[in-house]
Amino acid sequence: MPDQNQPLIFEESKKGRIAFSLPELDIPEMPLDSMVPDEYLRKNEPEFPEVSELQLIRHYMALSKRNFGVDNGFYPLGSCTMKYNPKINEVVARLDGFTKIHPYQDEATVQGALELLYRLQTNLEAVTGMDAITLQPAAGAHGEWTGLMIIRAFHEANHDLKRTKVIIPDTAHGTNPASASVAGFEAVTVKSDENGLVDLEDLKHVADEHTAALMLTNPNTLGLFETHIQDIARIVHAAGGKVYYDGANMNAIMGITRPGDMGYDVVHLNLHKTFTGPHGGGGPGSGPVGVKEELAPFLPKPLIIKKEDGTYGFDDDRPLSIGRVKAFYGNFGINVRAYAYIRSMGAEGLNQVSRDAVLNANYLLKRLSKDFETPFHKFCKHEFVLSGSRQKKMGVRTLDMAKRLLDFGYYPPTIYFPLIVDEAMMIEPTETESKETLDAFADHLIEISHEAEKTPEIVQDAPHKTVIARLDETRAARHPILRYQKNTVQV
């Protein structure tokens, strides 16, 4: 259990204690103001904490243990695959041959790196069923924007300027309408039917001559496979639009089916999710975009190509390209990790990943279905959505249950999304968790459900064992206190 009373390092400070020792000065001492202009010299002594080396080490070690990640606990964050990243990927990405090269080096001196990127492109084309791939986009939402700009360039090249709308399901990730807006389109919502899938009749109503594209992840954010995807693609194509695949849920279908075979025209992947790059905390990701052949001329430039002589290089001669979307060539280190993952897993391994992810999700769904409402009574794919509506009648909200999970050492699932499910709780266990972990999580969530019935105040006041208790989250977000200020009264 975290130490809730750990003092700030400033509170541990005792005058005269130091955490370093420097060698005796062996050159003539000079006054500072003889070397640095007066306007750059501070007028008051800095108020640094004065602690010993041991105090310093213990302080930061204690802080480091407050971090929570996949490496130290179960992280069932629905809608955002958070699975274990094999450490071999990190070893490979840190090889000197990758870390000590520079993007300004001559192509001839970085042939190995270029070959890796080219092979990654080829592997991702095989996984998605697309004809060409760019690795430039820096993350998933960046990939969405890039894909939509490609679609926009395609319509403009065909002088079809009336296509100003992008259709987005009411279950979509929030980044979809945001990306459509940033790309200059109007987002139009298509409703879901009673089974949680795209309502075909409503799609026929909203798809028209102004449709530039439909954005759709499959499986969708309810964890359900859009079984009518080919009908959906036909409707959008008949209206003259393109079909865009949000690859956030790719972990459910690798080696089983491909977006390119379902009728999609553009795909983005989240290498930092499905292909085990580091994830979260605002760190670098990678969101490659794949397209069918007729859209390939509009991909960002340069593309990495294999030349007739067998060497690798950049292709900048692309007059219809939307241009560069990222400095140099994307987040190279993340692409190296993804390639290492694909090579270590192989085609059969990736297929098994998806089968195990789907199996784990359905096992967990079955274990929890007696104690929680399940909005859709069918098998799920890699994730599922529960409703806390039953517990809500007892005065316990889904937010309360998510906070209570913290007391048992779990990162809570996504809550209140998708918006069409009352008191939603979205759970994605991923393929990397054992049956014992799934059972323990289910036992604790069921225990919380029983608490909601018999002792609701325990859940309503949670968490009880974390460093910080229940926050006023709105105030914390709008008025954050991000640095220590001496003698400041914090309320």
Side-chain angles (χ1 to χ4, degrees), residues 100-388:
K100 294 185 178 178
I101 58 176
H102 193 279
Y104 280 141
Q105 282 184 226
D106 185 271
E107 289 178 9
T109 67
V110 290
Q111 282 295 299
L114 292 175
E115 181 177 359
L116 181 147
L117 294 175
Y118 181 82
R119 288 189 178 194
L120 178 59
Q121 288 178 178
T122 304
N123 290 163
L124 296 179
E125 288 167 8
V127 170
T128 60
M130 289 290 148
D131 297 319
I133 292 267
T134 174
L135 302 176
Q136 275 192 43
H142 193 199
E144 291 179 24
W145 174 81
T146 301
L148 290 172
M149 292 303 289
I150 291 170
I151 291 172
R152 180 175 183 150
F154 170 82
H155 290 311
E156 289 178 352
N158 287 285
H159 308 290
D160 197 355
L161 305 180
K162 62 183 178 300
R163 300 195 175 276
T164 57
K165 298 181 179 179
V166 172
I167 301 171
I168 300 172
D170 55 11
T171 58
H173 294 112
T175 51
N176 290 177
S179 297
S181 179
V182 174
F185 294 107
E186 176 188 354
V188 178
T189 301
V190 59
K191 294 186 297 187
S192 299
D193 63 17
E194 65 278 8
N195 297 313
L197 307 178
V198 170
D199 186 320
L200 294 183
E201 293 305 314
D202 193 47
L203 179 61
K204 292 175 184 175
H205 175 70
V206 298
D208 58 23
E209 71 274 16
H210 299 293
T211 299
L214 163 77
M215 299 183 81
L216 178 65
T217 187
N218 196 17
N220 63 27
T221 57
L222 295 166
L224 305 175
F225 192 80
E226 297 279 356
T227 51
H228 301 299
I229 181 58
Q230 291 183 317
D231 292 329
I232 291 170
R234 271 193 288 271
I235 293 170
V236 176
H237 287 154
K242 297 298 180 187
V243 185
Y244 181 96
Y245 184 81
D246 177 336
N249 295 345
M250 191 72 191
N251 207 49
I253 65 169
M254 288 186 297
I256 300 172
T257 185
R258 307 189 303 176
D261 300 333
M262 300 180 205
Y264 285 94
D265 304 289
V266 183
V267 171
H268 92 258
L269 299 172
N270 301 72
L271 298 190
H272 48 288
K273 293 183 180 181
T274 310
F275 298 94
T276 75
H279 191 190
S286 183
V289 171
V291 298
K292 287 295 190 181
E293 187 173 3
E294 67 174 347
L295 293 168
F298 305 96
L299 282 169
K301 65 178 180 181
L303 280 184
I304 295 172
I305 57 171
K306 186 175 183 179
K307 302 175 183 177
E308 292 183 358
D309 64 1
T311 62
Y312 301 88
F314 294 108
D315 177 15
D316 274 297
D317 186 17
R318 306 183 62 79
L320 295 179
S321 168
I322 65 170
R324 186 185 290 275
V325 300
K326 179 77 171 69
F328 303 119
Y329 203 76
N331 289 326
F332 175 69
I334 306 300
N335 294 330
V336 173
R337 289 169 172 85
Y339 183 69
Y341 178 69
I342 291 171
R343 288 298 304 270
S344 62
M345 298 299 293
E348 291 184 4
L350 294 180
N351 176 281
Q352 194 64 46
V353 161
S354 292
R355 293 182 184 278
D356 290 347
V358 172
L359 177 64
N360 279 2
N362 280 282
Y363 177 75
L364 204 49
L365 172 61
K366 182 66 176 177
R367 280 223 51 197
L368 295 169
S369 59
K370 291 181 181 177
D371 292 87
F372 292 86
E373 295 293 336
T374 52
F376 306 102
H377 305 289
K378 55 198 309 184
F379 289 113
C380 66
K381 291 303 174 187
H382 64 304
E383 64 186 4
F384 58 91
V385 177
L386 301 175
S387 170

